[in-house]
Amino acid sequence: MPNENYDNIFSNLAEASASNLKEILITPDQKLHDALLAASRATALKQFGNKIYIRGLIEFTNYCKNDCYYCGIRCSNNKANRYRLNKEQILSCCANGYELGFRTFVLQGGEDPFFSDEVLADIIIAIKKNHPDCALTLSIGERSLESYEALFTAGADRYLLRHETANPTHYSLLHPETLSLANRLHCLKNLKEIGYQVGTGFMVGSPFQTTDNLIEDLLLINKFKPQMIGIGPFIPHHDTPFRDKNSGTLQQTLRLIAMLRLMLPKALIPATTALGTIDPCGREQGILAGANVVMPNLSPVMVRSKYSLYDNKICTGEEAAECINCLRTRLQKIGYEIVIDRGDYQK
Ligand code: 5AD
Ligand code: FES
């Protein structure tokens, strides 16, 4: 690809052909890589300035009825030390987070049948009553349309549900037969129609993933137009069938963040914990590649290492206050500032 065409292509990435996307994704040309990240960073700066939104992550249950081959809290991992937070514990995480400047809370957990619509609605209503100025995000997997509606009515604003891979065959290599890409996409459609701000995304470098699969991921996201996009490297967990597989790479994750930022300039894109886990400066590099969100952990320190989706997860020994201050300093060093804001999607 001739140099002078970079800017033209980068500014029209949402319209680029699959073969152009592929060329950018796999280029060994370091100049093109650098130009891509620079263009993406400029796009994020134009959209959000040097402001970074924070989301307080509350990992409230590691029980899960599913058995995804990549995930450390899969139901057949009988070595996982299971826990559930109760309503009071969750409310106290939120109160703590509010004091620290968080205005979005993310309730994330495995697919845990204990948390029925009734139980969850009660918790959602209580959080919204205590913090009416905050946004509430759910990340609790596949549920029925009725369930999504009930939780939205209770006050949930946003929902994170990664599609994991846009290719049905690849999907079946990562998940048991009980799960399907078709149902995942059906859930995403329901969530959007109900009115949630929706996030989707995928793991970079997951086992059996091909370059063409990644192009399918980009095209699916470009078409679905989620408000949020979460991507991070796959990292093996020692008690899963994928224990011997390789992690996704920093470079490929950064390149994909940059491409997604250029395709969907307004999307809220986190520099994920997994990115910070494969490289000590992974989150900073994610921000410099066009991400604009970080999701520090607000879970009680007691449970953090138990919420183990992959090995060597960072921040499992730190207090919430330490994490937010650590991130604030890290981001200041690269010229960015954490803000006290719900950080809603701006149309
Ligand atoms: N490595 C990286 N990310 C993982 N996730 C689950 N297991 C792993 C792993 N081993 C991601 C999935 C899920 C999100 C909550 O965490 O993409 O959607
Ligand atoms: Fe948790 Fe740095 S963000 S310790």
Side-chain angles (χ1 to χ4, degrees), residues 8-61:
N8 213 356
I9 291 172
F10 294 161
S11 60
N12 285 310
L13 215 60
E15 268 89 55
S17 66
S19 74
N20 265 345
L21 291 174
K22 188 168 174 178
E23 208 178 324
I24 295 174
L25 183 60
I26 64 178
T27 183
D29 179 351
Q30 189 62 38
K31 274 210 196 108
L32 201 158
H33 177 86
D34 295 345
L36 174 74
L37 268 57
S40 163
R41 188 191 311 174
T43 301
L45 280 169
K46 187 172 153 210
Q47 222 40 248
F48 307 101
N50 71 337
K51 309 280 183 276
I52 300 295
Y53 296 132
I54 50 173
R55 319 296 193 199
L57 188 64
I58 303 169
E59 301 155 332
F60 70 102
T61 172

Side-chain angles (χ1 to χ4, degrees), residues 71-72 74 76-80 236-243 311:
C71 184
R74 65 201 297 266
S76 13
N77 181 9
N78 53 26
K79 297 215 181 101
H237 184 286
H238 62 278
D239 288 320
T240 63
F242 290 163
R243 60 176 66 83
D311 289 339

Side-chain angles (χ1 to χ4, degrees), residues 98-236:
Y98 193 88
E99 284 304 307
L100 294 168
F102 288 89
R103 296 296 178 269
T104 292
F105 303 114
V106 182
L107 290 184
Q108 184 174 91
E111 292 195 16
D112 179 357
F114 173 86
F115 288 96
S116 62
D117 296 345
E118 240 186 340
V119 171
L120 274 172
D122 178 55
I123 294 169
I124 293 167
I125 290 165
I127 294 174
K128 289 297 251 189
K129 178 165 172 270
N130 290 355
H131 308 290
D133 53 338
C134 291
L136 188 57
T137 306
L138 300 176
S139 176
I140 51 176
E142 298 182 357
R143 301 174 77 100
S144 67
L145 172 68
E146 295 71 31
S147 171
Y148 288 150
E149 281 171 344
L151 302 177
F152 187 76
T153 305
D157 305 280
R158 307 182 187 146
Y159 206 103
L160 304 177
L161 182 68
R162 290 186 178 178
H163 66 276
E164 311 297 357
T165 171
N167 181 285
T169 309
H170 185 216
Y171 199 94
S172 72
L173 296 171
L174 302 179
H175 303 93
E177 270 171 24
T178 47
L179 298 172
S180 70
L181 178 60
N183 194 52
R184 188 54 65 116
L185 298 179
H186 179 65
C187 288
L188 283 164
K189 182 169 162 274
N190 283 343
L191 288 163
K192 208 177 198 188
E193 281 174 7
I194 291 167
Y196 284 94
Q197 294 174 49
V198 178
T200 192
F202 56 92
M203 290 178 288
V204 178
S206 60
F208 316 111
Q209 184 177 66
T210 64
T211 306
D212 287 324
N213 293 157
L214 285 169
I215 302 304
E216 292 175 88
D217 288 322
L218 292 178
L219 293 174
L220 183 144
I221 290 176
N222 195 30
K223 188 164 165 216
F224 183 69
K225 306 216 182 304
Q227 282 83 15
M228 301 160 293
I229 308 168
I231 69 166
F234 161 76
I235 304 171

